[in-house]
Amino acid sequence: MTERSVHPALWPAPHASGAVDATVTVPGSKSVTNRALVLAALASEPGWLRRPLRSRDTLLMAQALRAMGVGIEETVSSSSAAAGAPDVSGEAWRVIPAGLHGPVTVDVGNAGTVMRFLPPVATLADGPVHFDGDPRSYERPLHGVIDALRALGARIEDGGRGALPLTVHGAGALEGGPVRIDASASSQFVSALLLSAPRFNQGVEVRHVGSALPSMPHIRMTVEMLRAVGAQVDEPETGGEPDVWRVAPSALLGRDLTVEPDLSNAQPFLAAALVTGGRVTVRDWPERTTQPGDALRELFTAMGGSCELTPQGLTFTGSGRIHGIDADLSEVGELTPGIAAVAALADSPSTLSGVAHLRLHETDRLAALTKEINELGGDVTETADGLHIRPRPLRGGVFHTYDDHRMATAGAIIGLAVPGVEIENVGTTAKTLPDFPDMWTEMLGA
């Protein structure tokens, strides 16, 4: 982070004096960046990752792969694209696969993608790989990955916790084959196994046996990215058995991938247009994507706005009114904090459902949203699988983040309409959206 992005413990959330009118460039997708790093590290030839997200979570992933022997060279490239083609200038990472090795220690921070995607990679290393992280990471479930890897032939020491810290004793290979897991706590359990599966001797057949899987778009993203590097994947979406994914053993190709903007991180900026009755354009919004954030077009339109997708990006325009919404967010749970913030400012109640798994994210997001919005004068109640929000006049006060980046951006959204909101530890946004405070104030013309 640059020096100007370091902010005090309490950050006065900017209050909008009128309708926002701005164009925003959102950094690359964390979900795509970290999946691409894993696939490039396991490939049979070097590859390029252009416009990767540089944030705490992605730097932890790159640092971990380097520790296990993968070469990752950071460069700045200039565009050589033909007229009319996308501009791919900017930062680029060249990933050079190598024999994975231990002993090493990996710091996962509080990144779900790092703590879940890398233990399967570590089974392919020659030697032990120890995983540790932030205190909150010890509370996040890993049992689905740990139990599955053991069933596939891995040796893992976790003290019986089903969570961090743990050590994977890599043997240079993993037999693989069929495995049954309950991934209802996190779709990342499935993605973790699929990403490394082409390197397993038998590939893998993952059969989910629990209740409904959350965040299915993230699994579809994993499958599409695997296919893009040459993997053979059978999935329910293409006629396979329900809740079964099969990946055949194969070599992976090195690719030249340009990372899409992180559409979930575009949420607060689109929300600004809705809250202020203004207009915000997010550059380079893809016409087609597996990112869950693409659902914002439909969700925020239902809450009172309109959008237009052009070659320049997505332009979202607020109507000056915010409507409540009844929405099943099971596939797009990460959008819940921002939607809850907007719903607290609406003209009618909202019910957000299908997101019980958010209690196991960076923090218990349902409890945190309820507490923080209510302490500003709101009326939010938890349900079994979500939130019921009755709009009330809100007042200023401290909005705590619990080291959760999406709590920080939710508080900033409320601050647009409510004077005197102060965000505690806004710096936690560096997890996936570096320099958010500066981007936010620049959007407002401050």
Side-chain angles (χ1 to χ4, degrees), residues 29 32 217 219-225 227-228 235 237-238 257-261 263 284-295 297 309-311 313-314:
S29 164
V32 173
I219 298 180
R220 289 194 284 271
M221 176 187 293
T222 298
V223 169
E224 285 207 6
M225 293 185 68
R227 288 174 174 160
E235 59 163 339
E237 298 280 319
T238 53
L257 172 69
T258 299
V259 179
E260 298 173 351
L263 305 188
D284 300 324
W285 195 285
E287 289 188 24
R288 180 187 175 278
T289 180
T290 54
Q291 289 191 61
D294 195 46
R297 293 194 283 169
L309 189 61
T310 71
L314 180 74

Side-chain angles (χ1 to χ4, degrees), residues 263-345:
L263 305 188
S264 295
N265 279 341
Q267 180 180 37
F269 302 100
L270 299 182
L274 190 55
V275 168
T276 69
R279 179 177 60 189
V280 170
T281 297
V282 176
R283 289 191 182 98
D284 300 324
W285 195 285
E287 289 188 24
R288 180 187 175 278
T289 180
T290 54
Q291 289 191 61
D294 195 46
L296 288 166
R297 293 194 283 169
E298 179 180 349
L299 290 164
F300 276 171
T301 296
M303 297 186 82
S306 61
C307 63
E308 180 185 10
L309 189 61
T310 71
Q312 287 70 45
L314 180 74
T315 297
F316 191 86
T317 305
S319 64
R321 296 189 63 185
I322 305 171
H323 308 308
I325 190 173
D326 288 349
D328 179 350
L329 303 179
S330 57
E331 292 207 346
V332 293
E334 65 196 50
L335 304 180
T336 303
I339 293 172
V342 173
L345 304 169

Side-chain angles (χ1 to χ4, degrees), residues 182-273:
D182 180 353
S184 54
S186 175
S187 67
Q188 290 176 352
F189 295 170
V190 173
S191 288
L193 296 169
L194 300 184
L195 287 168
S196 292
R199 291 283 304 274
F200 299 165
N201 292 343
Q202 296 184 40
V204 79
E205 178 189 276
V206 178
R207 185 178 298 269
H208 167 63
V209 294
S211 56
L213 270 168
S215 304
M216 281 295 295
H218 279 125
I219 298 180
R220 289 194 284 271
M221 176 187 293
T222 298
V223 169
E224 285 207 6
M225 293 185 68
L226 275 161
R227 288 174 174 160
V229 294
Q232 300 175 39
V233 187
D234 293 329
E235 59 163 339
E237 298 280 319
T238 53
E241 292 182 59
D243 291 339
V244 178
W245 292 262
R246 296 183 180 90
V247 180
S250 68
L252 298 180
L253 305 173
R255 291 298 197 195
D256 191 324
L257 172 69
T258 299
V259 179
E260 298 173 351
D262 193 312
L263 305 188
S264 295
N265 279 341
Q267 180 180 37
F269 302 100
L270 299 182

Side-chain angles (χ1 to χ4, degrees), residues 30-229:
K30 177 202 73 173
S31 298
V32 173
T33 299
N34 274 356
R35 282 167 173 78
L37 281 171
V38 171
L39 292 173
L42 297 177
S44 58
E45 57 191 350
W48 284 94
L49 190 56
R50 302 186 189 277
R51 291 186 180 174
L53 174 66
R54 174 180 285 275
S55 72
R56 187 185 186 213
D57 280 17
T58 61
L59 292 176
L60 285 168
M61 180 68 85
Q63 178 182 331
L65 292 169
R66 285 187 180 114
M68 286 190 276
V70 177
I72 302 177
E73 301 172 352
E74 302 178 23
T75 65
V76 176
S77 64
S78 58
S79 176
S80 58
D87 176 14
V88 294
S89 60
E91 185 165 5
W93 294 352
R94 180 168 167 81
V95 182
I96 304 169
L100 304 174
H101 64 76
V104 297
T105 295
V106 167
D107 176 12
V108 308
N110 191 20
T113 51
V114 182
M115 70 180 71
R116 291 165 181 153
F117 292 178
L118 287 188
V121 175
T123 66
L124 304 171
D126 183 11
V129 180
H130 182 69
F131 291 87
D132 208 337
D134 296 352
R136 171 63 180 172
S137 72
Y138 292 12
E139 303 171 21
R140 300 185 69 181
L142 268 176
H143 55 85
V145 175
I146 294 169
D147 294 347
L149 290 176
R150 284 180 174 145
L152 295 173
R155 179 186 163 208
I156 301 175
E157 294 178 6
D158 69 335
R161 292 179 300 274
L164 293 173
L166 61 86
T167 300
V168 177
H169 292 272
L174 190 70
E175 189 58 25
V179 65
R180 297 162 62 89
I181 65 169
D182 180 353
S184 54
S186 175
S187 67
Q188 290 176 352
F189 295 170
V190 173
S191 288
L193 296 169
L194 300 184
L195 287 168
S196 292
R199 291 283 304 274
F200 299 165
N201 292 343
Q202 296 184 40
V204 79
E205 178 189 276
V206 178
R207 185 178 298 269
H208 167 63
V209 294
S211 56
L213 270 168
S215 304
M216 281 295 295
H218 279 125
I219 298 180
R220 289 194 284 271
M221 176 187 293
T222 298
V223 169
E224 285 207 6
M225 293 185 68
L226 275 161
R227 288 174 174 160
V229 294

